[in-house]
Amino acid sequence: MKARVDENLCAGTRACEQACPAVFEVEDGLARVKVDTVPEDSHEACREAMENCPTGAISIDE
Ligand code: SF4
């Protein structure tokens, strides 16, 4: 699984970082994905982060 953040849509709410800190990190108001591949044990949290992003900035490649 791979995750991406659209920088043009991210509003820096930190919701993704809270839902899945192993994958998302927010710095200077912008979320970034800090892993190349989402580890197996973070798949569920990562999907949750995508579903809860208020601006739809997160996309996942399963
Ligand atoms: S939840 Fe969405 S809008 Fe908020 S920091 Fe993460 S990617 Fe950006």
Side-chain angles (χ1 to χ4, degrees):
M1 175 191 275
K2 291 195 185 280
R4 274 193 312 272
V5 171
D6 185 332
E7 296 183 1
N8 295 313
L9 293 177
C10 176
T13 63
R14 290 186 179 270
C16 55
E17 194 180 57
Q18 282 161 17
C20 188
V23 172
F24 300 97
E25 182 175 66
V26 180
E27 233 177 49
D28 298 327
L30 200 62
R32 71 173 194 95
V33 175
K34 57 183 183 181
V35 293
D36 193 41
T37 302
V38 178
E40 197 80 28
D41 60 359
S42 293
H43 282 191
E44 203 175 316
C46 192
R47 287 191 197 103
E48 195 179 308
M50 178 182 73
E51 283 160 18
N52 292 332
C53 173
T55 63
I58 298 171
S59 54
I60 287 177
D61 219 351
E62 292 278 355

